[in-house]
Amino acid sequence: MNTTHRAPRPRVNLPPLPTEIWLNILARACSAGDWNPLGLHSVVDFSCSSARQRKKIFKESLVTKRYVVRVCKQWNTWASPYLYENLYLGRSKCLRSLHDALFKACDSEGANVVKPNILGLWIKRLDIALRENLSVQDMDARDENITLISGIVQCLPNLTIVFFRNHHSSLGSLSPILWNLANTCGSTLQAVVWDCRVPSPAPNVWRAFLQKAIHIRILHCPQHLHANEFEVLPPLLPFLEFLHAYEHPLFSHFPSLRHLVVDVLEVQTGWKPFLKVNGVKLEVVQLNIYISRYCLTIMSLLVVFCPNLVRLDISASDWDLIPFRIDDFELELPPKVHTLGLQNTAIQAPSQMYGLLFSGLEEMKLTSSLSCIQLIDAGNVRDLTRKHRRILIRGIEMLKRKGLELRDHED
């Protein structure tokens, strides 16, 4: 008979760690690396590659948080605030259970007033990113989604970031959600990003929302909401620092505005009155170019009305869309711009496209202040360093002769 004797494992008696250290460890374990999803600038990444990578890290951190709270009761107590600080609505089938959980411990104060429980108080960021593509015939399901999300929003008084991400028709009009956002957390909202293809809210709803959310610092406007649908707006959003508008700007004075993103989709005539009022304050402008000839108007306006601009970023789906030269027009920069950022959103551009990039930079009319050309997308840097090294070396030498430095996305 064989018997195996195993000596007892020595017991290690480690001194108990203070609660503060445990909280710090769990906070780091639940974080998304160096990127903070609760940071305001986490929603305004101009680089396509960085945005995709950070979205992936963000989702991975949500999974890690779910595992951490299941280790033991003590860890559940410590890590629950980190688990619930970001709420990501990805599937409509989860809306009912989430809605009921948030309302279960809520105290109802009258017919329309809800006193949130502790879970709702922890949530700082809400991503509405439903992936189901519901048809027009599924009106009941779409209406139910709107009702459930509107109810969920009523339990989130401390929201600072709201991200409308869904690219399908899982939702109809988002006006009820906007009303509840304005009434529940209008005073705490600091960033609103409307990055979806659902119908834009009615102008009166959007205006009422902005009037209550006066502390917003970052605003990504709905795509199809035109400024000419408003009457002249009074001065509002006194703390707005970052504005991303599509075809048309908001006609208003924003005293704190420093950063502007413009989608160049058509002739940009509506930007002249906006830049007359706000252009002198702008320090950073980023252009998404879809049709190169329409870029001429906005570029000439920047030269005239943005004397304090120090950085200009240009993004296009092809390098030949960037108007280094169109007929007799040469790309002219505002006088104080010292950094020109460039991005090609196409994946794996061929070598001749990068040749167009550097030949365009060689012909470009330079200002005395320009000192740096930056490739702001990691994919472009990877293409040049791995597949088109000869073009990169010749480009760097050409830029050195012009007194310019070429930087990558990490600088």
Side-chain angles (χ1 to χ4, degrees), residues 6-12:
R6 293 184 178 180
R9 294 182 178 179
R11 186 172 183 177
V12 179

Side-chain angles (χ1 to χ4, degrees), residues 308-328:
N308 296 313
L309 201 67
V310 296
R311 182 183 179 99
L312 176 65
D313 290 341
I314 300 178
S315 175
S317 60
D318 217 332
W319 291 120
D320 60 358
L321 289 178
I322 299 178
F324 294 111
R325 179 185 293 274
I326 297 180
D327 298 330
D328 295 331

Side-chain angles (χ1 to χ4, degrees), residues 231-243:
E231 299 175 1
V232 177
L233 286 175
L236 78 167
L237 303 182
F239 305 105
L240 185 68
E241 301 172 5
F242 175 99
L243 175 64

Side-chain angles (χ1 to χ4, degrees), residues 71-354:
V71 171
C72 64
K73 291 183 179 180
Q74 184 62 72
W75 278 32
N76 182 280
T77 301
W78 284 335
S80 287
Y82 304 119
L83 173 66
Y84 291 103
E85 65 186 3
N86 300 297
L87 180 58
Y88 192 94
L89 305 180
R91 297 184 180 275
S92 57
K93 67 180 182 181
C94 303
L95 294 179
R96 171 60 66 182
S97 59
L98 175 63
H99 177 277
D100 294 345
L102 288 173
F103 270 86
K104 187 174 182 179
C106 289
D107 296 326
S108 183
E109 300 179 350
N112 299 316
V113 180
V114 174
K115 183 178 179 181
N117 62 16
I118 189 65
L119 297 183
L121 295 175
W122 284 335
I123 297 172
K124 301 295 192 301
R125 171 172 172 158
L126 172 64
D127 288 67
I128 302 175
L130 300 185
R131 296 188 289 274
E132 294 89 351
N133 192 6
L134 300 179
S135 64
V136 178
Q137 288 75 23
D138 298 323
M139 290 299 296
D140 292 341
R142 294 169 67 176
D143 292 342
E144 183 182 14
N145 288 344
I146 289 289
T147 301
L148 291 174
I149 295 176
S150 299
I152 290 170
V153 165
Q154 284 185 282
C155 300
L156 313 179
N158 293 328
L159 276 183
T160 59
I161 298 174
V162 177
F163 209 132
F164 295 93
R165 287 182 180 273
N166 58 300
H167 292 275
H168 300 295
S169 56
S170 303
L171 301 172
S173 171
L174 299 184
S175 294
I177 298 176
L178 281 179
W179 281 120
N180 281 353
L181 281 172
N183 294 326
T184 303
C185 52
S187 61
T188 63
L189 281 177
Q190 296 188 40
V192 176
V193 179
W194 196 290
D195 186 18
C196 58
R197 299 172 187 174
V198 297
S200 300
N204 63 318
V205 175
W206 185 246
R207 178 190 176 107
F209 170 73
L210 293 182
Q211 288 177 332
K212 287 200 172 184
I214 61 172
H215 294 99
I216 286 180
R217 294 169 55 191
I218 294 174
L219 180 61
H220 190 145
C221 294
Q223 183 170 1
H224 302 294
L225 193 65
H226 295 174
N228 55 15
E229 294 177 328
F230 291 98
E231 299 175 1
V232 177
L233 286 175
L236 78 167
L237 303 182
F239 305 105
L240 185 68
E241 301 172 5
F242 175 99
L243 175 64
H244 185 164
Y246 285 93
E247 297 98 332
H248 301 276
L250 297 173
F251 291 149
S252 185
H253 168 57
F254 303 110
S256 301
L257 187 64
R258 299 293 181 270
H259 193 146
L260 177 67
V261 180
V262 179
D263 285 7
V264 183
L265 299 171
E266 58 183 28
V267 178
Q268 306 291 304
T269 55
W271 286 99
K272 186 173 182 178
F274 175 89
L275 292 175
K276 274 186 176 180
V277 177
N278 298 287
V280 70
K281 301 183 293 290
L282 291 176
E283 298 175 357
V284 179
V285 170
Q286 295 173 314
L287 303 178
N288 290 310
I289 299 177
Y290 298 93
I291 302 177
S292 59
R293 66 178 181 271
Y294 292 157
C295 184
L296 307 186
T297 304
I298 188 68
M299 285 298 301
S300 61
L301 292 176
L302 294 179
V303 173
V304 174
F305 297 113
C306 302
N308 296 313
L309 201 67
V310 296
R311 182 183 179 99
L312 176 65
D313 290 341
I314 300 178
S315 175
S317 60
D318 217 332
W319 291 120
D320 60 358
L321 289 178
I322 299 178
F324 294 111
R325 179 185 293 274
I326 297 180
D327 298 330
D328 295 331
F329 173 83
E330 292 183 354
L331 181 65
E332 184 179 358
L333 303 178
K336 292 186 180 180
V337 169
H338 58 67
T339 300
L340 175 63
L342 299 173
Q343 173 180 230
N344 184 349
T345 59
I347 299 176
Q348 298 180 350
S351 58
Q352 57 265 32
M353 288 294 101
Y354 286 102

Side-chain angles (χ1 to χ4, degrees), residues 325-398:
R325 179 185 293 274
I326 297 180
D327 298 330
D328 295 331
F329 173 83
E330 292 183 354
L331 181 65
E332 184 179 358
L333 303 178
K336 292 186 180 180
V337 169
H338 58 67
T339 300
L340 175 63
L342 299 173
Q343 173 180 230
N344 184 349
T345 59
I347 299 176
Q348 298 180 350
S351 58
Q352 57 265 32
M353 288 294 101
Y354 286 102
L356 289 175
L357 165 66
F358 288 111
S359 62
L361 289 172
E362 188 171 14
E363 296 177 0
M364 187 179 67
K365 182 179 179 180
L366 301 181
T367 59
S368 58
S369 61
L370 185 65
S371 61
C372 171
I373 304 294
Q374 184 176 24
L375 298 176
I376 56 182
D377 189 83
N380 300 156
V381 175
R382 186 166 54 249
D383 280 351
L384 278 170
T385 54
R386 295 181 181 178
K387 300 177 182 179
H388 313 298
R389 292 184 62 87
R390 291 183 180 179
I391 295 177
L392 174 61
I393 293 172
R394 289 198 298 265
I396 292 175
E397 292 175 350
M398 178 272 297

